[in-house]
Amino acid sequence: MAKIDDSLRKKMLFSAQSSKLNRCLAPSASCQKAAVRAHSVQNGAVMAMLHRNGHVKAPSPKVNKDESFSIVWQDVGRNLATTFEGFCSTHDSALFMPIDTRSLDVTNREQLFLYAYRAVARELHASMEAAIKVQSTYHQRIEAGIDKGDQPEAAGMMALERMLHAHSTYVYKTKLDEALTKRRYEAFSHEIVHLTNQVPTVAASVFFDLDTRPNEEEPPRVALNIFPASNDETLAIFSFTEQDAVAIREYVRDILESDGIYQKYLLSRMLLMHAENFVIAPSIFDTWSAEKRDAILDFFLQTVRFNSSKESEHL
């Protein structure tokens, strides 16, 4: 088996990172136009309430000089934050016009559907691109003689797991494509949490499956959108299909039935456990102690690596 020297390791890393998925994920699945960078969290209204001097705060990956991996807080331009290349400019504008050009009406099922749909599309793009990167690395390991490629190997199993996750997300989105095309917005049910007397603090758009029933072939899934609706109210919207309704409502029951600081704690903890696509208002970040900033990053990184369930007052 070939040894992975520094030059080979760096070559594999940069090659994998350059692997991109550039395709429009519009419902027809036939659009050949190049995908553009578009926001999963509304830029015009939401980011306008969060940014300072055109920037927000977000946890970002960093490769250190010794090639170790860490998560750090970074300033991210509002025009880049929460973006993904999932749709061409034509489809992005047409599909999401009802939520990008109008304020949210919590009684409008089309708007609620589109917020969730965009979170699903973003996760599909992320999972497909991750599968491409991992598969690219595995092929390079085979070419370098590190892996054989004709027997079960850790790198190969990781690539397979990524592909299976991407395919599962694709199947889920395909069903939503049909609902969107037929305007069956009731395909999603929603639970909405109103956080009142809450200054603009955080925005997120994520889609994840539950880790509470790992033996099931298709685990329950939920989209979660969090964003300020005004200068004194933030909304958290859980969206899910009827098939997953019982499991999801049970999973978020404590959040729905609590209030005040504890409700925000539970919501923050869930967000950190399942999401990386969120941003923080710099004005709020500045009020956090160094201990709080480090505790949040540590919990975030632990959940990425080990599915941590520890508690912390700083969350």
Side-chain angles (χ1 to χ4, degrees):
M1 180 179 292
K3 180 181 178 181
I4 309 179
D5 60 29
D6 289 342
S7 61
L8 177 59
R9 183 181 296 110
K10 290 178 181 178
K11 177 183 177 182
M12 291 169 62
L13 174 64
F14 288 120
S15 177
Q17 290 304 312
S18 64
S19 301
K20 295 286 186 180
L21 172 71
N22 189 355
R23 60 170 296 181
C24 178
L25 300 177
S28 64
S30 61
C31 180
Q32 299 299 313
K33 294 182 180 179
V36 297
R37 188 177 290 275
H39 286 265
S40 56
V41 172
Q42 189 180 17
N43 186 23
V46 173
M47 290 296 180
M49 286 188 277
L50 295 174
H51 83 96
R52 181 177 62 198
N53 298 324
H55 291 82
V56 291
K57 288 286 186 177
S60 303
K62 178 184 178 182
V63 179
N64 303 311
K65 291 183 178 180
D66 62 356
E67 297 187 10
S68 62
F69 174 83
S70 61
I71 298 289
V72 297
W73 290 108
Q74 288 190 342
D75 287 322
V76 182
R78 62 177 286 187
N79 292 326
L80 292 178
T82 77
T83 58
F84 72 110
E85 297 175 346
F87 298 94
C88 69
S89 59
T90 300
H91 280 114
D92 184 71
S93 297
L95 289 173
F96 303 111
M97 184 179 297
I99 57 177
D100 285 342
T101 62
R102 298 199 298 267
S103 299
L104 172 64
D105 173 3
V106 294
T107 67
N108 187 311
R109 297 196 68 92
E110 179 186 19
Q111 286 188 317
L112 292 175
F113 179 97
L114 289 173
Y115 275 106
Y117 180 81
R118 185 152 60 184
V120 174
R122 189 230 172 236
E123 176 59 24
L124 175 59
H125 177 272
S127 63
M128 292 175 71
E129 193 161 272
I132 291 172
K133 293 179 186 297
V134 175
Q135 186 68 15
S136 172
T137 300
Y138 182 45
H139 283 163
Q140 290 183 72
R141 290 173 62 90
I142 295 172
E143 291 175 356
I146 301 167
D147 290 325
K148 295 183 179 300
D150 59 356
Q151 60 189 36
E153 295 166 313
M157 294 303 295
M158 181 182 294
L160 177 61
E161 289 174 2
R162 291 289 187 176
M163 287 188 286
L164 289 174
H165 176 68
H167 179 262
S168 177
T169 309
Y170 171 79
V171 172
Y172 187 98
K173 178 182 173 292
T174 298
K175 297 177 181 177
L176 298 179
D177 290 343
E178 182 179 359
L180 177 60
T181 301
K182 295 181 178 180
R183 303 180 67 84
R184 290 193 291 103
Y185 304 126
E186 69 278 6
F188 270 130
S189 297
H190 312 276
E191 292 288 352
I192 304 176
V193 177
H194 296 259
L195 303 175
T196 56
N197 299 317
Q198 173 65 53
V199 299
T201 300
V202 60
S205 178
V206 300
F207 176 68
F208 57 90
D209 58 49
L210 303 191
D211 51 17
T212 55
R213 297 159 66 182
N215 294 325
E216 294 211 359
E217 183 177 348
E218 291 297 334
R221 297 174 172 89
V222 60
L224 172 59
N225 283 278
I226 305 175
F227 54 86
S230 68
N231 286 325
D232 60 2
E233 182 182 37
T234 289
L235 301 178
I237 307 171
F238 295 95
S239 305
F240 43 88
T241 64
E242 190 60 33
Q243 176 182 338
D244 295 336
V246 173
I248 297 303
R249 285 195 168 99
E250 175 61 24
Y251 190 70
V252 303
R253 179 171 56 84
D254 288 347
I255 293 176
L256 300 178
E257 294 180 355
S258 59
D259 56 26
I261 295 298
Y262 185 59
Q263 184 183 53
K264 294 176 184 178
Y265 167 81
L266 292 176
L267 191 57
S268 298
R269 189 173 181 278
M270 180 179 290
L271 180 64
L272 290 171
M273 285 180 65
H274 295 290
E276 91 294 342
N277 187 37
F278 67 90
V279 296
I280 303 294
S283 60
I284 299 299
F285 182 85
D286 288 348
T287 68
W288 293 353
S289 66
E291 184 181 9
K292 181 180 179 72
R293 297 175 187 178
D294 291 344
I296 291 174
L297 284 185
D298 179 65
F299 181 85
F300 178 81
L301 187 56
Q302 291 298 315
T303 58
V304 170
R305 288 176 168 171
F306 308 115
N307 195 26
S308 173
S309 59
K310 70 178 184 179
E311 305 288 342
S312 171
E313 63 183 22
H314 294 298
L315 305 185

